[in-house]
Amino acid sequence: MLSSFIFDFFFDYTFRTVALGSLVLGFVSGTLGAFAVLRQQSLLGDAVSHAALPGLVLAFLISGSREPAVLLAGAIAAGGLGMLYVTMITRHTFLKQDTALGIVLAVFFGFGMVLLTYVQRLPTAGKAGLDAFLFGQAATMLVQDVVVMASLGAGALGILVMLWKEMKLITFDPHFASTMGFPTRTLDVLLIILTVVAVVVGLQMVGVVLMSAMLVAPGAAARQWTDRFNKMVLVSGLIGAGVGVTGSVISSRVARLPTGPTIVVILSGVVMFSLLFAPGRGIHFRTRIRKKQRWQFAAETLAVHLLNHEGSPEEATENSLTALERHLGWDLIFAQRVARWAVVNNLVSQTDGSLRLTSLGRETAKKVMVR
Amino acid sequence: MDTSRNALEIMDLTVAYHNKPVLWDVDLSVPEGILLAIVGPNGAGKSTLIKAVLGLVPAAAGQVLVYGKPYPEQRPLVAYVPQRGSVDWDFPTNALDVVMMGLYGKVGWIRRPGKNERKLALDSLHKVSMADFADRQISQLSGGQQQRVFLARALVQDASLYLMDEPFAGVDATTERAIIDLLRELRSAGKTVIVVHHDLQTVTQYFDWMMLLNVRRITSGPVEQVFTEENLHRAYGGKIAFLSSSSSPPAEE
């Protein structure tokens, strides 16, 4: 498989184009998407991509050409205009950003669909393929398309790297940034423009409907694996790129499997896996820790109880499991399980139903009492 | 009066939300080297006053001078400690990195902070007894520790005027102590500190000056002159009954 992959990469034009395109797209959208996730603007990508549709179609109607540069310029303009509306709505009305994003998404996408349907009834040649922008059609990509994608992406990432610390600062604490004299609003708008570019880069491949997944999913997954900002953004980009290439390989091996949706499905799998199994933040990990803490705490309570009665006349009765029921309110089954946990962890020894602290258990109990 | 000797001079400051005034015609002169508490009931505009000084909320009218010049010319002289709840503490970064952000303004555009900035930030964490937590992910810090990280970020700016928004809100006793020690240290170094505060019981103990604010400035000056039952009554209205019954603690905001 690997050798044929390498062979195809060098000799199969379509496959190479698609693989390169998804690599570029995955990396650019993953990187900028990490910022969107941290700024709690995950919906932004969805609104931008849907808002781009009327721009694409209008660019085609006006210019009559299907040149990617022309169509993408239209998409950027419409996406940008959509974001401008979102900003204006949140600033001048009482509506919150999520509502504004929802409104813009629906209105622009609806208008885009109207235009698209209109264009498809036109007798003009070359209209074919515009609807591919809905769900993406990687197979139609040419080298020129990848070049346009790569140059747009490189430009966006170049600006991002140059203003790295400024962008990080406005993401974490915009008010503080502006007290140090950074033009927070301008940087904010710039970051949104870069996000618009990232979205537009992916339209031909993944389409307006699924594009937001390319933006949000890598960031959401990456956050699970690291607590460092730089690392998170890089990991996010790499997840995007890795999944992009994997998806294009798989869809090239299996007949009639569309590239964009395949990539998005794999990406969702990566997110699920990260949410469940990442060390530290993963659900599986946290449940395990919590369970362990629960037994640990109960065993420590038991140790303290035993220590309190150690050497006293009532020791013989207090160190039985039934005494725990009376004193700590534990039912017998729970008491048995705690005792077993304590024995396994060498805090307590058990002979003939009576419990006795080990030296480790005694030390632990003393430490707990001081705490 | 020679206002250029004042750390902060606020004249006729008015802030409005649509047609509802949040601050009305506020004047305030803050001499250099004092600890000033801004005190007033909920919704009195305490935080808004600080934010308006810093240009974070637009002023409808008025003027703000920092050491005799408009604030935008004096930015490096002013450090700001926002409310702890104003940021997402799950942001992927550690305590040291947050403190280094205080130096981004000095580092300037595009350039990255380096070794020297790391050292300054670590020194600053040391001053708030947080050096041991430099590498700690910020969500793993307690509320008090997060507050101290914010203070360290302001300290590293090496400013002359410090504006702090409720640094005592919801912190443990250790942190309260640490903040107070720090405020006094700043004062002995000739710095001026303005703190939004809502615990009337500790005002006389912690601060030299206080300003009573309730949309308008009620009064301001040395604590012993301002902290009178009559003034408090004017700021809080009938809600101040607990004061005369002395020891009962004031309600939390």
Side-chain angles (χ1 to χ4, degrees), chain B residues 111-186:
Chain B
R111 287 182 50 231
R112 304 282 162 90
K115 263 206 181 104
N116 190 34
E117 280 76 21
R118 262 185 85 82
K119 199 192 153 297
L120 287 171
L122 207 57
D123 287 349
S124 185
L125 272 176
H126 206 80
K127 284 183 199 156
V128 295
S129 320
M130 286 290 292
D132 292 344
F133 297 90
D135 291 331
R136 188 72 68 90
Q137 152 67 20
I138 54 174
S139 64
Q140 313 270 315
L141 299 171
S142 74
Q145 290 170 333
Q146 291 173 346
Q147 188 65 60
R148 279 186 272 163
V149 169
F150 258 14
L151 283 169
R153 184 179 68 172
L155 284 183
V156 84
Q157 292 180 272
D158 194 24
S160 305
L161 173 63
Y162 289 81
L163 302 177
M164 305 183 179
D165 201 347
E166 306 228 12
F168 295 106
V171 301
D172 51 288
T174 325
T175 300
E176 181 145 344
R177 202 63 251 153
I179 299 176
I180 272 306
D181 290 345
L182 194 70
L183 295 186
R184 293 190 174 141
E185 235 170 86
L186 287 170

Side-chain angles (χ1 to χ4, degrees), chain A residues 340-355:
Chain A
R340 204 176 312 136
W341 200 92
V343 169
V344 169
N345 287 278
N346 199 25
L347 297 170
V348 161
S349 68
Q350 192 172 18
T351 39
D352 305 333
S354 67
L355 301 161

Side-chain angles (χ1 to χ4, degrees), chain B residues 92-103:
Chain B
T93 190
N94 60 25
L96 185 71
D97 196 44
V98 171
V99 177
M100 282 211 281
M101 290 179 191
L103 293 163

Side-chain angles (χ1 to χ4, degrees), chain A residues 38 40 94 160-166 168-169 171-176 178-183 187 223 226-230 232 281, chain B residues 17 51 54 56 71 75 80 82 87-88 90-94 97-98 101-102 104-105 107-113 137-138 150 153 157:
Chain A
L38 288 176
Q40 298 166 17
F94 291 100
L160 187 69
V161 167
M162 215 164 68
L163 296 174
W164 191 260
K165 87 171 184 305
E166 286 79 7
K168 173 176 156 190
L169 187 62
T171 301
F172 178 61
D173 194 347
H175 273 176
F176 185 73
S178 92
T179 66
M180 286 195 296
F182 291 110
L187 289 171
R223 181 65 189 92
T226 173
D227 276 334
R228 304 304 295 268
F229 178 78
N230 294 0
M232 177 192 157
R281 293 174 73 92
Chain B
Y17 186 67
K51 285 184 183 151
L54 294 164
L56 296 175
Y71 166 70
R75 274 182 207 282
Y80 172 49
V87 302
D88 172 18
D90 196 39
F91 192 83
T93 190
N94 60 25
D97 196 44
V98 171
M101 290 179 191
Y104 284 9
V107 170
W109 285 92
I110 297 168
R111 287 182 50 231
R112 304 282 162 90
Q137 152 67 20
I138 54 174
F150 258 14
R153 184 179 68 172
Q157 292 180 272

Side-chain angles (χ1 to χ4, degrees), chain B residues 18-253:
Chain B
H18 302 305
N19 61 354
K20 185 173 167 273
V22 185
L23 290 173
W24 187 257
D25 199 22
V26 172
D27 296 303
L28 178 68
S29 298
V30 185
E32 205 175 349
I34 62 160
L35 303 182
L36 169 87
I38 301 177
V39 180
N42 291 341
K46 302 180 298 263
S47 298
T48 308
L49 179 62
I50 284 194
K51 285 184 183 151
V53 166
L54 294 164
L56 296 175
V57 298
Q63 205 186 355
V64 173
L65 297 179
V66 175
Y67 290 96
K69 288 185 193 154
Y71 166 70
E73 295 172 31
Q74 304 281 57
R75 274 182 207 282
L77 296 180
V78 184
Y80 172 49
V81 180
Q83 283 186 19
R84 182 160 50 87
S86 64
V87 302
D88 172 18
W89 289 94
D90 196 39
F91 192 83
T93 190
N94 60 25
L96 185 71
D97 196 44
V98 171
V99 177
M100 282 211 281
M101 290 179 191
L103 293 163
Y104 284 9
K106 277 199 186 106
V107 170
W109 285 92
I110 297 168
R111 287 182 50 231
R112 304 282 162 90
K115 263 206 181 104
N116 190 34
E117 280 76 21
R118 262 185 85 82
K119 199 192 153 297
L120 287 171
L122 207 57
D123 287 349
S124 185
L125 272 176
H126 206 80
K127 284 183 199 156
V128 295
S129 320
M130 286 290 292
D132 292 344
F133 297 90
D135 291 331
R136 188 72 68 90
Q137 152 67 20
I138 54 174
S139 64
Q140 313 270 315
L141 299 171
S142 74
Q145 290 170 333
Q146 291 173 346
Q147 188 65 60
R148 279 186 272 163
V149 169
F150 258 14
L151 283 169
R153 184 179 68 172
L155 284 183
V156 84
Q157 292 180 272
D158 194 24
S160 305
L161 173 63
Y162 289 81
L163 302 177
M164 305 183 179
D165 201 347
E166 306 228 12
F168 295 106
V171 301
D172 51 288
T174 325
T175 300
E176 181 145 344
R177 202 63 251 153
I179 299 176
I180 272 306
D181 290 345
L182 194 70
L183 295 186
R184 293 190 174 141
E185 235 170 86
L186 287 170
R187 179 177 54 190
S188 9
K191 319 275 191 188
T192 310
V193 188
I194 299 176
V195 177
V196 170
H197 194 59
H198 65 246
D199 184 3
L200 276 173
Q201 301 224 301
T202 52
V203 173
T204 47
Q205 202 185 328
Y206 293 168
F207 296 95
D208 315 321
W209 275 47
M210 74 186 280
M211 172 200 207
L212 276 168
L213 183 75
N214 191 353
V215 183
R216 298 157 191 271
R217 185 197 66 167
I218 307 300
T219 179
S220 62
V223 168
E224 58 276 13
Q225 288 170 28
V226 172
F227 199 86
T228 64
E229 202 163 329
E230 192 211 332
N231 282 338
L232 291 172
H233 209 272
R234 278 168 61 207
Y236 284 84
K239 287 174 275 179
I240 200 71
F242 62 85
L243 254 194
S244 37
S245 64
S246 74
S247 60
S248 63
E252 283 295 308
E253 251 178 51

Side-chain angles (χ1 to χ4, degrees), chain A residues 4-138:
Chain A
S4 72
F5 164 60
I6 292 168
F7 180 88
D8 283 354
F9 191 81
F10 286 105
F11 297 107
D12 182 333
Y13 172 85
T14 314
F15 175 65
R16 181 175 54 204
T17 312
V18 172
L20 271 178
S22 43
L23 179 100
V24 169
L25 159 65
F27 190 73
V28 174
S29 58
T31 308
L32 278 151
F35 280 85
V37 169
L38 288 176
R39 286 154 53 89
Q40 298 166 17
Q41 290 184 330
S42 300
L43 253 171
L44 196 101
D46 214 18
V48 169
S49 63
H50 283 77
L53 186 63
L56 271 171
V57 186
L58 273 179
F60 169 76
L61 276 176
I62 293 167
S63 71
S65 98
R66 275 210 67 226
E67 276 296 303
V70 175
L71 295 185
L72 293 194
I76 290 179
L81 188 69
M83 286 309 99
L84 190 70
Y85 278 142
V86 170
T87 318
M88 275 167 51
I89 291 171
T90 42
R91 206 174 282 170
H92 299 295
T93 72
F94 291 100
L95 299 174
K96 302 279 177 289
Q97 199 190 28
D98 62 330
T99 315
L101 286 169
I103 293 171
V104 166
L105 184 153
V107 169
F108 275 64
F109 187 62
F111 183 53
M113 287 305 287
V114 170
L115 285 177
L116 196 60
T117 318
Y118 168 74
V119 166
Q120 272 164 338
R121 293 217 188 97
L122 286 182
T124 345
K127 72 193 177 192
L130 266 191
D131 57 336
F133 281 99
L134 280 182
F135 293 102
Q137 205 168 59

